[in-house]
Amino acid sequence: MKIKDLEFKKFITADRIEKKVAALAKHIDKDYKDKSPVFLPVLNGSFMFAADLLKEVTIPCRVSFVKISSYAGTASTGQLKSLIGHDESLFGTDIIIVEDIVDTGLTLQKVSDELKGLGAKSVEAVSLLRKQPAREKNIDIKYIGFELEQEFVVGYGLDYDGLGRNLKDIYSRVG
Ligand code: 5GP
C-alpha cells in the first residue's frame, strides 16, 4: 500500500489489535477496581486506541484530552509543540495517560511531569505500541500492547503527514 511517496505493508491486523485492547482494558479494570481514574489520551494519534480501550473499560472513569506533537514526517523533531490541555482539575486524581506509541519517550515524559506538577495523586501510562528507544531508556509505561523495533508505522490513529489515521490495521514502512 502506498501513502504519498512511501510504501507500507500490513503489520498488525485489526483482529490482533482488538484482542490486545480488550486484554489491556481488563488489566486496568483489575488494577483500578476501587478507583475512578481520569484517562488522558494524547491527541491526535491515540484517538482510535483511546475510543476502543474506553469501550472495554468498565470501572467508573473520566476522560480528558491533551494535544502534543513532536513529529514532522517520519522522524521525531525532539521539539514538542501545541499542548492543548487539561481543562479540568486533575489535582488529587489517579491519571492514566493514553498513548498510541512511545518512541523517544519525550512526549510521555513531558505530559507526565506536567501532571505531577498539577498535583495528580498518581500518574501511569498505557501505550498500544512501544519502540526500542523507549525500551532502552526504561521509560515508565505500566501497560504496553505491542513491542516494536525502529519501524515507522501508520494506521489505527497513526499518520504519515496527516494521512492513514483512518486505517483499521497497523502498517509498517517497507524499505
Ligand atoms: P516520542 O515523544 O515518544 O518520541 O514520540 C511520541 C509520538 O511520536 C507519538 O505519540 C506519535 O504521535 C509519534 N510517533 C512515534 N513513532 C511513530 C511512528 O512509527 N509512526 C507514527 N505515525 N507516529 C509516530
Side-chain angles (χ1 to χ4, degrees):
M1 189 202 42
K2 201 159 179 160
I3 301 180
K4 291 180 87 176
D5 54 326
L6 299 184
E7 194 63 43
F8 291 90
K9 66 171 192 310
K10 206 178 266 192
F11 185 53
I12 308 174
T13 62
D15 189 49
R16 276 186 75 203
I17 297 170
E18 194 185 321
K19 291 192 174 85
K20 187 67 80 175
V21 170
L24 289 170
K26 214 170 163 185
H27 201 163
I28 292 171
D29 266 354
K30 189 163 158 259
D31 290 353
Y32 286 80
K33 75 173 178 342
D34 298 317
K35 295 179 180 154
S36 179
V38 179
F39 285 88
L40 213 68
V42 181
L43 298 172
N44 293 326
S46 70
F47 80 95
M48 207 176 272
F49 172 47
D52 286 346
L53 181 75
L54 282 156
K55 281 185 272 181
E56 297 293 326
V57 164
T58 62
I59 47 167
C61 61
R62 288 185 287 150
V63 189
S64 184
F65 298 89
V66 294
K67 180 165 181 172
I68 194 161
S69 157
S70 72
Y71 257 59
T74 62
S76 178
T77 59
Q79 281 181 336
L80 300 173
K81 297 185 296 186
S82 73
L83 179 59
I84 301 173
H86 344 292
D87 53 355
E88 52 190 294
S89 172
L90 298 173
F91 185 85
T93 56
D94 293 303
I95 293 173
I96 304 175
I97 300 167
V98 183
E99 270 278 24
D100 47 356
I101 187 163
V102 181
D103 180 8
T104 62
L106 279 173
T107 310
L108 185 58
Q109 254 163 6
K110 184 183 163 81
V111 174
S112 172
D113 288 350
E114 238 177 83
L115 293 171
K116 283 173 189 153
L118 287 172
K121 188 165 150 203
S122 70
V123 181
E124 298 290 358
V126 54
S127 183
L128 181 66
L129 305 163
R130 177 170 73 163
K131 277 187 169 175
Q132 188 231 336
R135 215 159 40 241
E136 256 172 28
K137 285 166 75 182
N138 258 323
I139 302 291
D140 191 18
I141 309 168
K142 188 157 185 189
Y143 309 96
I144 298 161
F146 300 97
E147 298 282 2
L148 308 186
E149 295 309 315
Q150 290 278 29
E151 49 273 88
F152 180 74
V153 290
V154 296
Y156 200 68
L158 290 147
D159 75 308
Y160 169 48
D161 270 358
L163 297 170
R165 291 196 198 277
N166 55 314
L167 299 165
K168 59 175 140 184
D169 304 283
I170 293 176
Y171 293 76
S172 67
R173 187 183 167 180
V174 182

